[in-house]
Amino acid sequence: MSQVPRPPRIAEADLTDAVVRVVAERGLDAVSVRTVARAAGVSAGAVQYYFPTKDALLQAAYRRVIDRVTERATRLLPAARAKDFVRALLLELLPLDEEREAELRVGLAFTARSVVSPPLAELYAEGYRALVEALEGALRRAVVQGEAAPGIDPRREAVAAAALADGLAGHLLCAPGALTPNEAVGALDAHVDRLM
């Protein structure tokens, strides 16, 4: 009678966090079963127990980053004014602290890979849809409450706001010194002020 192997003493979240650290520090090409095992302080077998392929590991790590951002955004929902919510949500996308910078590094690496990986592309699309829907919902609420500028199209403005935040985030991360955090926040604030 064969015994079922016991699972290693590590949580899947610890492994995906290790992937996130490896990608943030060294890039997506540095991810392997060995590097993740080293970063998590476990054996390669422990990594393979939960993630039999590198693609499975990468998908779980990308999901982890999306979930972190979504969790923080969910905590913003009680904002009384739609303008405050929209601003806070867009600021979550900018690399204004170490956590958001690491997440953006990982997000950009996975975004580039999603062009050739349908499972990663679906995760990217899911995250993008959730962001635009949250912004659109807040802008619709602003229209109903009389907070929004007259005649705005909530869907179009949600897409534009997401694109603005993405662009600012990319420039802050990839061209340090060309754009300061204060300039990025100022541009974002000016856009939100035009909407409200």
Side-chain angles (χ1 to χ4, degrees), residues 17 20 64-72 99 103:
D17 285 344
V20 169
R64 182 90 166 135
V65 170
I66 291 169
D67 288 347
R68 282 183 187 167
V69 174
T70 303
E71 181 184 317
R72 284 200 312 273
E99 180 180 20
E103 288 170 352

Side-chain angles (χ1 to χ4, degrees), residues 4-154:
V4 176
R6 287 181 38 200
R9 293 181 162 257
I10 187 165
E12 284 185 48
D14 294 332
L15 294 175
T16 54
D17 285 344
V19 177
V20 169
R21 285 193 307 275
V22 169
V23 174
E25 293 167 9
R26 298 173 32 209
L28 204 52
D29 291 339
V31 174
S32 69
V33 170
R34 284 193 178 103
T35 59
V36 172
R38 218 173 299 126
V42 298
S43 70
V47 175
Q48 290 174 319
Y49 177 87
Y50 288 106
F51 303 104
T53 67
K54 181 177 176 177
D55 280 345
L57 185 60
L58 293 176
Q59 289 170 35
Y62 195 23
R63 162 66 64 201
R64 182 90 166 135
V65 170
I66 291 169
D67 288 347
R68 282 183 187 167
V69 174
T70 303
E71 181 184 317
R72 284 200 312 273
T74 302
R75 284 185 257 146
L76 303 172
L77 289 176
R81 295 186 329 146
K83 179 179 181 176
D84 296 335
F85 172 75
V86 168
R87 181 181 188 274
L89 182 56
L90 293 172
L91 286 174
E92 281 299 322
L93 304 177
L94 300 183
L96 300 176
D97 57 33
E98 285 183 26
E99 180 180 20
R100 286 180 284 182
E101 181 178 331
E103 288 170 352
L104 182 60
R105 286 177 183 279
V106 172
L108 287 176
F110 281 114
T111 297
R113 189 175 175 103
S114 72
V115 173
V116 295
S117 169
L120 292 179
E122 182 51 40
L123 285 175
Y124 177 87
E126 182 184 319
Y128 175 75
R129 282 191 297 266
L131 171 63
V132 170
E133 287 170 8
L135 290 167
E136 182 182 1
L139 292 171
R140 286 193 187 288
R141 194 170 76 238
V143 168
V144 169
Q145 295 173 349
E147 258 190 87
I152 72 160
D153 178 327

